[in-house]
Amino acid sequence: MSELDDWTHGQRRLLGQRCDEGHAWYLPRPRCPRCGSAASPFEPIGTGTIFAQTTIHRRGDGGASSIGITLVDLDEGIRVMAQCAPGTSIGSRVVVSIVQDADTAQLFPYCEVIPA
Amino acid sequence: MRDSLIRNNPSAVVTGVGLTPFSRNAGRSALELQGEAALQALDDAGIRARDVDTVIAGYATTVNHIMPGNLLAEYLGATPERAFGMNVGGATGLAMVAEAARLVWSGSADTVLVVGGENRASGQSRDAAIATLAQVGHATHEVALGANIPAYYALLASEYLHRYSLKREDLAPLAVQMREHARTHPGAQFHKSITVDDVLNAPLIAEPLGLLDCCPISDGSAAFVLSRRSEGTRSVEITGIGETNLHQHVSEADFSSVGARQSAEQALNQAGAVVTDIDIFGIYDSFTITLAILLEEIGIAQPGTAGGMARDGAFAATGKYPLNLHGGLLSYGHPGVAGGMAHMAELVIQIRGEAGSRQLVERPRRGFLHADGGVLSAHVSIVLDGGAYATPSTAEGLK
């Protein structure tokens, strides 16, 4: 597996990027979006804080369902979109890991609240 | 700023306006809708399609044509020097007008036709429309999680309500006010009054946003003709434009400064105006939260107070900041590119004094427009000025 293969490429890992100037970001770029210097990947620990959260409600032929979507500010200073339990509160301490949907085999980041 | 170097002579004047009703099913194709609004605008300007030297057309999700400007030009019988399309999401309409103004200011164009329109509601399934729109999210890192446009804006809304310790009922008055405006406009998609309780009791789409916090998906079209200086009381000049693009994806957005402030300041500075000089406003309102954030960043409302101001009537026709008097995206409707253009159509009509029963008692002179595309990603602001006219026009324009 290459250095840049993350969950979107089917690898079960979360990746961020950072530069020598200390900037860090999440969505993959060829260079640092702030200073333009070289980018290198890193694996964040996964701990962070819920910054924003929504619960999407779907009503279809298959009945009603809901999923939680959140933006998590990871402790390394990058913001990651992840699924979460519906109704997870802003400010909650969480840990993000890569999980797999049982039906579709799709990998995605999922965050769970760290018990206080 | 930079644009001020080339503005002034010649001036860029809105000389023609076209706006169709917005609805769930117009019974026409995207091109037919575009043609209808375009011909209204050309007739309003008193010119023929052959007189146009530039055609700019917005994207249509139901067409996805690679040459939308040329497609429309041929359909109308126009043979322009230049024709092109634009894709800036919901900001496309005002971005096309800004580009048209620059072409006129620079002397490159004399007469520009700007058109947006599509059968977004009837020309595809609701699921297809939502899936298409979700693509403003990041294909692999956001869309794959099951997120969609309401969810992206709901993330903004959740953080906004948390930051200011507000509740859903503090955004709801914005939806109620837009519906109140739409009630008397025959072209609006919705005419039935709603209350704050109706907004709160509507089905939840993406918390904290419910159905009535969200604009509908509509069919419809709008068009403008921009020309070099033309005299007369129906002329409305573009005196300021501003644009800012700080991010594409909500994951990358700075929630405390999305770009509206810079865009608005640029447009107002170029026009030599401040917010309190503006008589009428047209602000993009795809969701209640969109309107709240934009009103606050632009400086019309203090942080956290936009919904409260709506509750107190500040955005009514009789209020301090008459806003989206046609009903906005939330209640006039939203067919994509034309959605943000309807705000401008209403401002031009009001500044001309041709709004009929909706006409502001004191005919407005200066108008301010703002639209965003994506997830508060692309920002365009425009200042309109009707000049120091003496007597209201008696021309029968759009009602």
Side-chain angles (χ1 to χ4, degrees):
Chain A
M1 85 187 156
S2 109
E3 251 197 341
L4 282 166
D5 283 350
D6 66 357
W7 63 276
T8 66
H9 293 90
Q11 302 298 330
R12 197 181 282 263
R13 64 178 183 181
L14 192 63
L15 281 188
Q17 284 176 292
R18 59 188 163 206
C19 71
D20 292 342
E21 303 297 315
H23 305 131
W25 63 96
Y26 179 52
L27 298 178
R29 265 82 161 235
R31 296 268 177 92
C32 173
R34 259 171 281 185
C35 68
S37 57
S40 52
F42 73 97
E43 281 193 66
I45 295 169
T47 51
T49 306
I50 299 275
F51 172 71
Q53 194 274 339
T54 181
T55 301
I56 304 174
H57 296 271
R58 292 205 164 88
R59 299 161 195 82
D61 299 336
S65 64
S66 60
I67 58 167
I69 297 284
T70 179
L71 291 173
V72 181
D73 284 341
L74 296 183
D75 294 339
E76 290 87 351
I78 66 176
R79 182 170 293 166
V80 172
M81 187 178 284
Q83 278 198 16
C84 64
T88 308
S89 301
I90 290 176
S92 301
R93 287 290 294 167
V94 295
V95 60
V96 178
S97 59
I98 303 299
V99 302
Q100 188 163 33
D101 186 291
D103 297 328
T104 64
Q106 163 86 45
L107 293 176
F108 55 88
Y110 187 86
C111 75
E112 283 184 281
V113 175
I114 300 171
Chain B
M1 295 190 295
R2 290 180 297 274
D3 285 317
S4 64
L5 297 173
I6 58 167
R7 187 170 82 76
N8 290 330
N9 200 9
S11 300
V13 179
V14 183
T15 53
V17 178
L19 176 67
T20 72
F22 288 2
S23 68
R24 184 72 188 78
N25 185 352
R28 275 159 290 169
S29 71
L31 191 59
E32 288 169 340
L33 283 164
Q34 290 174 17
E36 181 178 335
L39 290 172
Q40 275 185 32
L42 292 168
D43 290 348
D44 187 41
I47 60 173
R48 302 162 307 158
R50 293 256 165 189
D51 300 326
V52 167
D53 60 42
T54 305
V55 173
I56 314 177
Y59 68 93
T61 61
T62 52
V63 181
N64 198 23
H65 196 278
I66 61 173
M67 301 171 68
N70 302 73
L71 184 70
L72 178 65
E74 181 192 87
Y75 179 71
L76 294 171
T79 53
E81 283 177 40
R82 64 190 74 75
F84 57 95
M86 283 188 73
N87 299 49
V88 202
T92 304
L94 295 191
M96 292 192 294
V97 170
E99 226 45 55
R102 290 190 183 102
L103 284 167
V104 172
W105 287 339
S106 72
S108 301
D110 284 336
T111 310
V112 184
L113 176 65
V114 171
V115 186
E118 68 171 295
N119 52 343
R120 180 170 285 192
S122 68
Q124 58 194 336
S125 74
R126 186 170 173 279
D127 286 349
I130 289 170
T132 299
L133 299 175
Q135 300 308 316
V136 302
H138 197 286
T140 53
H141 288 71
E142 294 180 348
V143 178
L145 296 172
N148 53 24
I149 285 256
Y152 306 138
Y153 277 89
L155 288 168
L156 289 161
S158 73
E159 194 277 336
Y160 173 92
L161 295 183
H162 183 263
R163 191 192 321 171
Y164 299 117
S165 299
L166 299 174
K167 293 188 163 65
R168 292 187 62 219
E169 49 262 47
D170 296 305
L171 288 174
L174 293 162
V176 173
Q177 179 65 76
M178 292 306 104
R179 183 60 60 86
E180 198 54 31
H181 287 322
R183 269 188 343 108
T184 56
H185 197 311
Q189 188 162 347
F190 299 114
H191 294 111
K192 182 170 162 274
S193 275
I194 56 173
T195 64
V196 166
D197 279 345
D198 292 331
V199 179
L200 298 180
N201 294 329
L204 287 167
I205 302 297
E207 295 182 46
L209 302 176
L211 185 64
L212 295 179
D213 288 288
C214 308
C215 67
I217 296 171
S218 316
D219 288 1
S221 184
F224 303 108
V225 175
L226 269 77
S227 310
R228 294 170 64 128
R229 160 73 58 202
S230 78
E231 302 301 330
T233 57
R234 299 182 81 242
S235 292
V236 177
E237 188 182 346
I238 293 178
T239 54
I241 55 183
E243 295 182 86
T244 306
N245 301 276
L246 301 183
H247 66 268
Q248 172 61 34
H249 302 113
V250 68
S251 297
E252 285 288 318
D254 176 353
F255 280 32
S256 64
S257 180
V258 294
R261 181 180 298 109
Q262 296 91 317
S263 170
E265 278 175 3
Q266 195 182 331
L268 288 164
N269 286 343
Q270 189 180 11
V274 294
V275 164
T276 49
D277 295 329
I278 303 295
D279 306 310
I280 183 169
F281 295 82
I283 312 282
Y284 202 77
D285 57 320
S286 51
F287 299 90
T288 48
I289 186 61
T290 318
L291 189 52
I293 292 174
L294 292 178
L295 284 166
E296 293 170 19
E297 271 216 6
I298 290 162
I300 297 162
Q302 291 298 308
T305 68
M309 285 177 68
R311 187 184 300 122
D312 296 340
F315 307 125
T318 53
K320 189 173 177 190
Y321 305 100
L323 172 71
N324 301 353
L325 298 182
H326 64 304
L329 302 165
L330 285 166
S331 282
Y332 191 86
H334 194 2
V337 173
M341 296 172 74
H343 300 69
M344 177 161 157
E346 179 68 13
L347 259 61
V348 172
I349 292 163
Q350 289 279 349
I351 291 169
R352 287 173 170 178
E354 297 175 356
S357 63
R358 294 190 320 285
Q359 183 63 46
L360 287 174
V361 174
E362 197 169 335
R363 187 179 159 197
R365 170 178 171 169
R366 289 193 188 87
F368 175 88
L369 290 155
H370 187 95
D372 90 85
V375 192
L376 297 175
S377 318
H379 294 269
V380 185
S381 309
I382 289 179
V383 178
L384 301 175
D385 195 325
Y389 37 71
T391 51
S393 164
T394 54
E396 281 296 310
L398 297 164
K399 291 292 190 294

